[in-house]
């Protein structure tokens, strides 16, 4: 089970492992807390009054297309927690009582626990406590996932998940992707990447940098997703309103992407089964029954 704040987080952070385990016959549950209703539309062709008014519906449709791209043969189920996008910290949307950020933590945990009771996941993956980038919905998704995992330790919980992981963003890979693009020799690609980099740049305080560094746990688990990067790329393309098709991931050739980012990386937060680190599999130490049917609660 993967737990995320918005549509597109599932693909960017865990698309490779979701595609891999679905292809191996595992049941994959993708939990998304909000529909990204207050985000920005990056595609000019989609940035219309109609789409802005129904952005949540647009992004839910993109989410479902992305999941289909990750698992063309099925195996991934999408479950929505039903909260509203919280926007950025300090914004009016962040103070909206309907937002995920303002949601009562216990109530949100109860919603996630209902899904856990129904689906019986062996492994849960969430963002880290800083939400990787500090976005309120990413932070809240991490807090809810961790609190729900802790609740499954209660004696009356019938089928507790065995392992809890955090996604790890490998900064060195981002730098390597940028280096490969800037040395590609294609002038239009180089100029386009540099222009988008300048437009996206913003000052980041030293305090925020330290918070990001402190929140990122050690890499304990590297899962090979190289054979599934095409599915991940197709899923990213499905998120047309959020991911610019001219952005860096799409500019790299497939063989270069596999060379730079052959794995998705994770930090093991807690395990209720014996483990031996480092790992190459989120299910290390567990039996892996194919498409295990959930047991009635």
């Amino acid at each position: 089970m993967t737990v995320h704040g918005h549509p597109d987080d599932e693909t960017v952070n865990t698309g490779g492992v979701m595609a891999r385990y679905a292809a191996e016959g595992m049941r994959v549950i993708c939990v998304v807390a909000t529909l990204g209703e207050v985000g920005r539309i990056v595609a000019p062709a989609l940035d219309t009054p109609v789409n802005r008014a129904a952005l949540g519906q647009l992004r839910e449709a993109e989410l479902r297309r992305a999941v289909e791209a990750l698992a063309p043969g099925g195996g991934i189920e999408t479950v929505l927690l039903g909260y509203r996008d919280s926007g950025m910290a300090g914004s009016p949307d962040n103070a909206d009582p309907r937002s995920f950020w303002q949601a009562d933590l216990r109530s949100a945990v109860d919603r996630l626990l209902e899904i856990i009771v129904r689906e019986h996941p062996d492994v849960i993956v969430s963002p880290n406590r800083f939400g990787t980038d500090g976005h309120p919905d990413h932070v809240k998704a991490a807090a809810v996932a961790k609190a729900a995992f802790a609740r499954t330790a209660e004696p009356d919980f019938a089928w507790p998940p065995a392992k809890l992981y955090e996604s790890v963003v490998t900064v060195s890979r981002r730098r390597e992707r940028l280096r490969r693009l800037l040395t590609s020799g294609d002038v239009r690609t180089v100029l386009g990447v540099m222009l988008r980099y300048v437009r996206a740049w913003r000052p980041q305080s030293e305090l925020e940098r330290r918070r990001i560094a402190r929140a990122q746990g050690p890499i304990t688990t590297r899962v090979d997703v190289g054979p599934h990067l095409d599915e991940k790329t197709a899923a990213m393309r499905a998120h047309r309103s959020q991911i610019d098709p001219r952005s860096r991931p799409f500019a790299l050739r497939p063989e270069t992407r596999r060379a730079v980012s052959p794995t998705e990386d994770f930090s093991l937060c807690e395990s209720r089964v014996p483990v031996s680190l480092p790992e190459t599999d989120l299910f290390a130490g567990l039996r892996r029954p194919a498409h295990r049917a959930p047991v009635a609660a």
Side-chain angles (χ1 to χ4, degrees), residues 115-177:
I115 302 168
I116 293 173
V117 168
R118 183 175 73 241
E119 303 295 347
H120 307 299
D122 292 307
V123 173
I124 296 177
V125 180
S126 84
N128 63 38
R129 67 180 184 275
F130 190 57
T132 303
D133 60 1
H135 191 289
D137 286 329
H138 301 164
V139 173
K140 191 66 170 271
V144 169
K146 289 169 174 58
F149 187 87
R151 289 265 299 276
T152 65
E154 295 173 358
D156 60 343
F157 201 89
W159 197 334
K163 302 171 86 174
L164 175 67
Y165 288 93
E166 293 176 347
S167 299
V168 174
V169 176
T170 308
V171 176
S172 61
R173 287 183 181 174
R174 290 183 172 181
R175 292 172 179 162
E176 178 61 14
R177 284 195 292 268

Side-chain angles (χ1 to χ4, degrees), residues 251-268:
L252 288 172
R253 295 174 179 172
E255 60 272 18
T256 304
R257 288 202 310 273
R258 292 187 181 90
V260 174
S261 303
T263 65
E264 285 182 349
D265 301 338
F266 304 89
S267 185
L268 179 62

Side-chain angles (χ1 to χ4, degrees), residues 40-48 51 239-245:
R40 183 172 64 92
I41 298 177
V42 302
L46 295 178
D47 193 8
T48 66
N51 282 339
H239 288 290
R240 294 177 56 213
S241 70
Q242 296 192 79
I243 302 178
D244 189 336

Side-chain angles (χ1 to χ4, degrees), residues 9-262:
D9 296 340
E10 84 295 332
T11 297
V12 173
N13 295 327
T14 59
V17 292
M18 290 169 65
R20 170 178 165 165
Y21 290 126
E24 291 179 1
M26 299 295 293
R27 294 180 62 252
V28 178
I29 310 300
C30 174
V31 179
V32 182
T34 82
L35 293 178
E37 299 93 329
V38 303
R40 183 172 64 92
I41 298 177
V42 302
L46 295 178
D47 193 8
T48 66
V50 172
N51 282 339
R52 287 195 294 272
L55 187 53
Q57 294 173 335
L58 173 64
R59 289 191 167 159
E60 181 180 356
E62 291 178 343
L63 169 63
R64 298 193 184 279
R65 286 195 295 270
V67 167
E68 289 175 3
L70 290 174
I76 301 178
E77 179 182 349
T78 302
V79 184
L80 304 176
L81 276 189
Y83 291 101
R84 187 176 188 271
D85 186 357
S86 305
M88 300 305 293
S91 69
D93 292 306
N94 196 239
D96 190 309
R98 298 170 296 172
S99 72
F100 188 37
W101 183 248
Q102 296 298 330
D104 176 73
L105 179 61
R106 187 172 184 87
S107 296
V109 170
D110 286 343
R111 289 193 193 186
L112 183 57
L113 277 172
E114 288 179 8
I115 302 168
I116 293 173
V117 168
R118 183 175 73 241
E119 303 295 347
H120 307 299
D122 292 307
V123 173
I124 296 177
V125 180
S126 84
N128 63 38
R129 67 180 184 275
F130 190 57
T132 303
D133 60 1
H135 191 289
D137 286 329
H138 301 164
V139 173
K140 191 66 170 271
V144 169
K146 289 169 174 58
F149 187 87
R151 289 265 299 276
T152 65
E154 295 173 358
D156 60 343
F157 201 89
W159 197 334
K163 302 171 86 174
L164 175 67
Y165 288 93
E166 293 176 347
S167 299
V168 174
V169 176
T170 308
V171 176
S172 61
R173 287 183 181 174
R174 290 183 172 181
R175 292 172 179 162
E176 178 61 14
R177 284 195 292 268
L178 180 60
R179 187 192 70 79
R180 296 266 186 139
L181 286 171
L182 294 178
T183 58
S184 66
D186 185 290
V187 176
R188 292 181 64 181
T189 297
V190 171
L191 291 176
V193 169
M194 291 180 68
L195 180 60
R196 288 191 292 276
Y197 184 82
V198 169
R199 286 176 175 172
W201 182 86
R202 66 179 179 85
Q204 191 175 62
S205 70
E206 184 60 27
L207 176 60
E208 186 177 358
R209 294 179 192 276
R210 289 177 182 177
R211 289 183 68 186
I212 291 173
R214 285 198 302 267
Q216 189 115 294
I219 296 175
T220 62
T221 312
R222 298 183 187 269
V223 182
D224 180 12
V225 297
H228 301 283
L229 288 180
D230 288 345
E231 292 97 308
K232 181 170 180 173
T233 301
M236 291 175 69
R237 290 189 188 281
H239 288 290
R240 294 177 56 213
S241 70
Q242 296 192 79
I243 302 178
D244 189 336
R246 301 166 299 172
S247 59
R248 280 182 271 170
F250 303 122
L252 288 172
R253 295 174 179 172
E255 60 272 18
T256 304
R257 288 202 310 273
R258 292 187 181 90
V260 174
S261 303

